[in-house]
Amino acid sequence: MSVDIATENALTAGRSQWDPLKVTGHGDITVAGFARSISVNVGQTIGFSVTGGATVIDIYRVGWYGGDGFRKIATITNAPTVQPAAVVIPNSNGATSCTAWSVTASWAVPAGAVSGMYLALVRSVAPTAPNAFYITFVVRDDAAEADIIYKTSDATWGAAYNHYGTQAAINGKNVYGSGTGVGNIMDRSLAVSYHRPVLTRGGVEQTYWMACEMPLIRFLERNGYRVKYVTSVDLDRDGAALLAKAPVFLSSGHDEYWSTPMRDAVETWRDNSAGRSIFMSGNEVFWRTRHVTIGDEVQMWCYKDTMPGPS
């Protein structure tokens, strides 16, 4: 089986111009949420944890689509839920996690879905609702052959720069400090959790994938390259075997945060399989990180040399 990007992008049903609901900044925090996993394989089910009132979730795939940029795949209902407060990760200097949030909606990814970057757009059922909230995730196709394996920079925009703290104090901590943007570096956290709503676009917009990755995704898909998508979490977990399905590995955007297993995987695949790696990115492979998985939660730890590390 191979990824048929050209056929997918030729589909007309569900095409949508960019920003279907004119979402501004980081979106409507009153209906914030996250995916229980940053990626899911075709044929599997992905869960979403959302807080707030009655909402629906529109599932979009990101691509070229004749210049429209998006195609709506499905709409699912989301149960109104008041989620508990975020908890502090022990020994992290104030990092927070929402892993205790319950699953309020789920989507069974079709077995024939095409690998890609996907958006779950959480929006109020009220017809006059002015905003919505983005949840980004990747659909993989582990069995497929491809021309290019595209790795998202989720460790940067989904983890490192994400400053979600709590609903009452959204300007929480990340590995840059407290508050939006880079914050106060002397008060930064030593870890960040993937189990939080992502608040990046409202602070430092150029760190988000819409600024630095979407243009290349649209270029690749416009030109019909057979692309399959993976995340930093996937590369850390599955290593060089993940790269065996394509001759080219591609990093783009702001791919700043890498773990040792990620770098070892790319170098091993390159040296042993004559694979080609392309870095169309800036500030890439800059900070050394460590991924810790607890249940279905992934935490990224990063002790920077601008602050004391452990022991």
Side-chain angles (χ1 to χ4, degrees):
M1 179 180 179
S2 62
V3 178
D4 195 343
I5 293 295
T7 298
E8 168 65 24
N9 277 268
L11 297 176
T12 57
R15 281 188 181 180
S16 176
Q17 290 287 340
W18 168 231
D19 237 345
L21 285 183
K22 301 290 188 288
V23 177
T24 57
H26 52 59
D28 185 356
I29 195 66
T30 68
V31 291
F34 60 92
R36 301 299 302 191
S37 176
I38 190 65
S39 78
V40 62
N41 196 25
V42 293
Q44 295 181 335
T45 296
I46 187 166
F48 302 104
S49 294
V50 178
T51 193
T55 50
V56 295
I57 301 177
D58 293 328
I59 307 292
Y60 289 86
R61 185 181 181 278
V62 183
W64 172 244
Y65 299 112
D68 288 336
F70 298 83
R71 189 171 80 86
K72 184 157 73 170
I73 308 295
T75 297
I76 58 177
T77 57
N78 184 62
T81 305
V82 178
Q83 300 283 11
V87 298
V88 174
I89 298 173
N91 304 314
S92 68
N93 194 36
T96 55
S97 166
C98 298
T99 194
W101 285 17
S102 63
V103 174
T104 56
S106 61
W107 180 50
V109 181
V114 175
S115 178
M117 179 90 83
Y118 281 69
L119 270 184
L121 190 75
V122 185
R123 59 180 177 84
S124 172
V125 296
T128 59
N131 218 329
F133 192 84
Y134 293 126
I135 299 174
T136 306
F137 63 100
V138 164
V139 171
R140 308 188 316 274
D141 191 340
D142 293 342
E145 301 285 343
D147 299 323
I148 298 168
I149 291 180
Y150 180 104
K151 188 190 74 64
T152 60
S153 299
D154 51 283
T156 300
W157 52 258
Y161 279 86
N162 183 10
H163 57 82
Y164 185 89
T166 66
Q167 283 185 273
I170 61 174
N171 294 332
K173 287 190 177 185
N174 57 22
V175 296
Y176 289 92
S178 54
T180 59
V182 296
N184 174 11
I185 191 64
M186 298 307 293
D187 194 31
R188 71 177 190 85
S189 66
L190 304 177
V192 279
S193 172
Y194 274 82
H195 273 187
R196 296 176 297 157
V198 174
L199 303 185
T200 300
R201 191 184 183 206
V204 184
E205 292 187 8
Q206 66 268 31
T207 66
Y208 200 48
W209 66 265
M210 293 177 187
C212 300
E213 294 181 66
M214 185 167 65
L216 183 58
I217 291 173
R218 289 164 62 94
F219 170 83
L220 294 170
E221 301 218 347
R222 181 181 187 177
N223 286 280
Y225 289 102
R226 296 183 308 154
V227 188
K228 56 185 289 184
Y229 295 77
V230 300
T231 68
S232 300
V233 173
D234 300 318
L235 185 59
D236 177 270
R237 179 188 62 222
D238 296 329
L242 182 77
L243 306 176
K245 295 291 187 177
V248 174
F249 166 81
L250 177 59
S251 159
S252 81
H254 190 173
D255 201 6
E256 184 176 358
Y257 289 81
W258 278 57
S259 66
T260 298
M262 290 168 61
R263 179 164 182 160
D264 287 348
V266 174
E267 292 184 347
T268 298
W269 166 79
R270 177 199 65 192
D271 296 342
N272 296 341
S273 305
R276 300 293 187 263
S277 52
I278 302 174
F279 288 85
M280 301 180 73
S281 50
N283 196 203
E284 70 274 5
V285 202
F286 189 80
W287 289 112
R288 184 178 183 179
T289 68
R290 174 170 53 92
H291 288 183
V292 175
T293 301
I294 304 173
D296 65 345
E297 178 188 22
V298 175
Q299 298 172 359
M300 186 182 80
W301 289 73
C302 183
Y303 295 95
K304 296 186 175 181
D305 56 11
T306 50
M307 284 280 284
S311 304

